[in-house]
Amino acid sequence: MTLLRAERVFKNYGANEVLKGVDLEVTAGQVVCLLGPSGSGKSTFLRCINHLERIRSGRIWIDGELIGYRQAGDKLYELDENAISRQRAEVGMVFQDFNLFAHYTAAENVMAGPVLVRGEDRRRARDQAVGLLTRVGLADKLDAYPRQLSGGQQQRVAIARALAMRPKLMLFDEPTSALDPELVGEVLEVMRALADDGQTMIVVTHEVGFAREVADLVAFLDQGVILELGPPAEVLANPANPRTQAFLSKVL
Amino acid sequence: MDSSASDDRGELEIRAIPARHPWRWAGAALVVLLAAMLVRSFLTNPRYEWDVVFSWLLARTIIRGLLLTLALTAVSMLAGILLGVLLAVMRGSPNRLLSGAAGSYIWFFRGTPLLVQLVFWFNLSALYPRIGLGIPFGGPEWASLDANALISPMTAAFLGLALNEAAYLAEIVRAGIVSVPAGQVQAAAALGLTRRKTMRRIVLPQAMRVIVPPTGNQTISMLKTSSLVSVLAIPELLYSAQIVYSRTFQTIPLLIVVSIWYLLLTSALTAVQGRIERRYGRYA
């Protein structure tokens, strides 16, 4: 079953073309890693998927639902804010800089989605938060504020916060790039466990090792297009495109 | 002593003669001299009339003026905060008309003296003799009132203080909103929060840390500035004292009474402000 379909996605900032026709199809349960040099458009593409960025042309569907617009006949209507927020609630996102809500404790961060977006009962949301934080190994940090946590711990809270909405799709935007090297492992471990549980994930990353071991598909982006797409064994071991070869020789 | 970190040759002590700061001492001596002169004049200059000061300090008319000053400050500040938040949010709107309107408001109310604004409100009836409620541009009018009846000196004072304060608070709240990192807003959006909820639950609570200290200063400043409404003959603290000394000619003692009360109130407010600041700084 196709969970995400992106078709001919174009995006520009003024004269700067960031995405030049990106196509991608992700099946439910798949883990897709987006690799590529900085400025290749990987993160921008990720942010287009949940409409944090508005695309210039193309279509993105999640679970058959068009993102950001409603189609009636051959006309497109821009969705209002509430409808866009509802769509975003179905998609979890993890940021490079964690972006935990600074005025909330770890548990409150994880409760934020269920309580503020879905209007769930606080007690139930708290129970769920305890469960999720236990799952990411932070059962002892429930009442810690973000500034009291290490980067790796903050990122694990951020993952739990996204999971609390039971998202159909999880987007990871360079989740380990802001971490000290010794903290990268704990975050990747949580992501690996998620993948094993069958969570559909799109991961923008520089961790080629993670891509090789966990990804079902690896896409290599450069200058706004997907140059290469396939199972990691193919793309990482025998890249066909010379630019993929050049990139991999630098990061491996 | 921790043996791993220490040097077994023993300490090389510093027993130096302290550097001298003669100018510091000269300055301090001058200050002491001036303070002594001031205190002596307080005690010996009979024109301070301390007995009069103390007899009026708790007088009923003064206390009533004091309560009016407090009420006027509280009500104007509250209205100013509400309008200020609205203006700050408008100022940040992607809609140019909304942000432009807020900008013009701030420009106007910060760019004209409060005293002028107060007198202006007081004389509003000269500009709009009747104020009504109805459909504009020639539509029916449901009710209308004589502006002179509607704009009492008290209303003019409240409008002047609150509308002027809102302009300053709008800038303070705006600075607070801008101080919250963009990542917080993005994380909220990605989670599915609407812009309104993001503002109310994520941005404003965090902006409070930046907003509270200058708002405290504004409150203290408002307490003192409210004495300007004495020109509208509103018996707040200053005007209450003026009424008395215009009758008894004890001008200086009564101004001292007024100053004592203002000092007490601003000191109390400063203490309260410190507590609130610590409260909002918890998570940082």
Side-chain angles (χ1 to χ4, degrees):
Chain A
M1 187 195 88
T2 301
L3 187 68
L4 170 87
R5 196 148 75 85
E7 201 179 304
R8 279 179 288 160
V9 172
F10 280 79
K11 165 81 193 169
N12 60 297
Y13 296 110
N16 180 18
E17 291 264 12
V18 188
L19 299 175
K20 303 173 206 163
V22 174
D23 292 282
L24 187 67
E25 220 176 296
V26 180
T27 308
Q30 266 187 335
V31 176
V32 179
C33 282
L34 300 180
L35 301 181
S38 42
S40 58
K42 324 179 282 293
S43 291
T44 304
F45 177 61
L46 209 62
R47 298 159 57 79
C48 291
I49 293 176
N50 63 358
H51 210 59
L52 281 183
E53 300 281 353
R54 189 187 293 249
I55 62 179
R56 190 186 75 216
S57 64
R59 301 279 186 278
I60 297 172
W61 292 269
I62 292 176
D63 214 4
E65 197 180 325
L66 189 62
I67 294 299
Y69 303 90
R70 184 169 56 81
Q71 189 157 13
D74 56 354
K75 274 216 173 84
L76 280 184
Y77 297 88
E78 194 178 8
L79 288 182
D80 69 11
E81 211 206 320
N82 289 328
I84 289 173
S85 293
R86 264 196 299 282
Q87 291 186 332
R88 284 180 182 147
E90 305 288 326
V91 180
M93 189 162 200
V94 174
F95 298 86
Q96 183 174 346
D97 302 318
F98 331 129
N99 294 345
L100 288 183
F101 302 132
H103 58 315
Y104 287 165
T105 62
E108 286 168 344
N109 264 280
V110 181
M111 292 160 66
V115 172
L116 299 181
V117 177
R118 297 228 168 102
E120 276 179 31
D121 174 59
R122 277 189 75 87
R123 202 145 10 112
R124 262 189 54 199
R126 167 101 189 171
D127 289 345
Q128 189 197 219
V130 172
L132 283 166
L133 286 171
T134 307
R135 200 166 140 198
V136 298
L138 292 171
D140 55 336
K141 298 289 183 192
L142 297 177
D143 299 317
Y145 283 96
R147 64 171 171 108
Q148 300 166 319
L149 300 172
S150 74
Q153 291 170 332
Q154 288 191 51
Q155 194 61 299
R156 284 186 280 152
V157 175
I159 293 173
R161 174 176 69 179
L163 289 176
M165 297 295 279
R166 287 175 225 95
K168 293 174 180 166
L169 173 66
M170 281 283 280
L171 307 174
F172 292 86
D173 188 5
E174 303 201 24
T176 58
S177 298
L179 296 176
D180 290 338
E182 78 272 20
L183 302 178
V184 169
E186 62 191 61
V187 171
L188 291 182
E189 208 173 301
V190 167
M191 291 168 61
R192 194 185 302 252
L194 266 185
D196 289 343
D197 283 353
Q199 172 74 52
T200 315
M201 300 164 46
I202 302 179
V203 185
V204 170
T205 187
H206 294 294
E207 298 288 333
V208 179
F210 177 82
R212 184 186 301 121
E213 289 162 37
V214 181
D216 300 295
L217 278 179
V218 171
F220 179 77
L221 254 94
D222 194 15
Q223 294 171 21
V225 288
I226 293 186
L227 287 181
E228 211 148 346
L229 175 72
E234 246 168 62
V235 176
L236 296 176
N238 300 305
N241 191 294
R243 273 192 277 169
T244 317
Q245 290 166 2
F247 174 76
L248 288 173
S249 72
K250 264 181 259 170
V251 297
L252 281 178
Chain B
M1 201 183 281
D2 183 4
S3 62
S4 67
S6 77
D7 183 329
D8 55 14
R9 288 175 300 174
E11 285 184 30
L12 199 54
E13 266 182 88
I14 296 176
R15 224 180 272 161
I17 292 143
R20 293 182 199 287
H21 303 284
W23 286 109
R24 231 182 260 171
W25 282 103
L30 186 64
V31 167
V32 168
L33 179 71
L34 289 172
M37 286 165 66
L38 193 65
V39 169
R40 180 171 171 272
S41 86
F42 275 166
L43 297 176
T44 59
N45 185 341
R47 292 179 217 197
Y48 275 107
E49 298 181 79
W50 290 105
D51 52 327
V52 179
V53 169
F54 289 114
S55 70
W56 281 106
L57 195 58
L58 295 171
R60 181 179 241 176
T61 166
I62 296 294
I63 297 297
R64 233 187 279 153
L66 175 74
L67 291 177
L68 189 54
T69 287
L70 281 173
L72 205 53
T73 303
V75 174
S76 306
M77 205 60 202
L78 199 70
I81 288 173
L82 293 177
L83 186 56
V85 171
L86 179 72
L87 284 166
V89 172
M90 276 172 70
R91 191 88 183 91
S93 164
N95 186 316
R96 292 255 185 93
L97 210 63
L98 289 177
S99 76
S104 309
Y105 180 98
I106 294 166
W107 168 78
F108 179 81
F109 281 92
R110 294 210 312 177
T112 51
L114 175 56
L115 188 53
V116 174
Q117 289 171 30
L118 283 168
V119 179
F120 208 95
W121 286 113
F122 186 66
N123 290 298
L124 192 71
S125 62
L127 195 55
Y128 299 106
R130 295 193 73 76
I131 294 168
L133 188 69
I135 309 245
F137 302 114
E141 195 174 66
W142 297 311
S144 89
L145 273 171
D146 183 5
N148 263 325
L150 194 66
I151 307 288
S152 66
M154 205 53 175
T155 321
F158 166 69
L159 281 174
L161 291 175
L163 296 184
N164 181 264
E165 193 56 38
Y168 286 91
L169 285 169
E171 293 285 78
I172 290 170
V173 173
R174 184 85 209 121
I177 289 173
V178 171
S179 78
V180 178
Q184 298 283 310
V185 175
Q186 286 192 11
L191 212 51
L193 270 79
T194 56
R195 282 169 60 98
R196 263 173 79 101
K197 255 191 192 154
T198 303
M199 183 57 75
R200 237 187 47 220
R201 308 304 292 263
I202 306 298
V203 176
L204 284 178
Q206 293 190 56
M208 286 310 258
R209 236 158 25 104
V210 174
I211 293 172
V212 166
T215 301
N217 288 339
Q218 289 296 115
T219 311
I220 292 169
S221 162
M222 167 73 93
L223 185 79
K224 295 176 291 172
T225 314
S226 68
S227 61
L228 277 184
V229 307
S230 59
V231 300
L232 308 184
I234 290 172
E236 43 69 68
L237 184 52
L238 176 59
Y239 193 64
S240 301
Q242 287 174 331
I243 293 171
V244 174
Y245 70 63
S246 68
R247 190 156 40 81
T248 66
F249 300 106
Q250 294 161 322
T251 310
I252 295 295
L254 275 145
L255 286 178
I256 292 174
V257 166
V258 168
S259 304
I260 289 174
W261 276 118
Y262 277 119
L263 276 172
L264 281 176
L265 290 175
T266 50
S267 306
L269 280 179
T270 306
V272 171
Q273 185 193 4
R275 288 177 67 116
I276 297 176
E277 263 174 52
R278 274 192 295 282
R279 198 182 117 75
Y280 278 105
R282 244 180 341 176
Y283 60 85

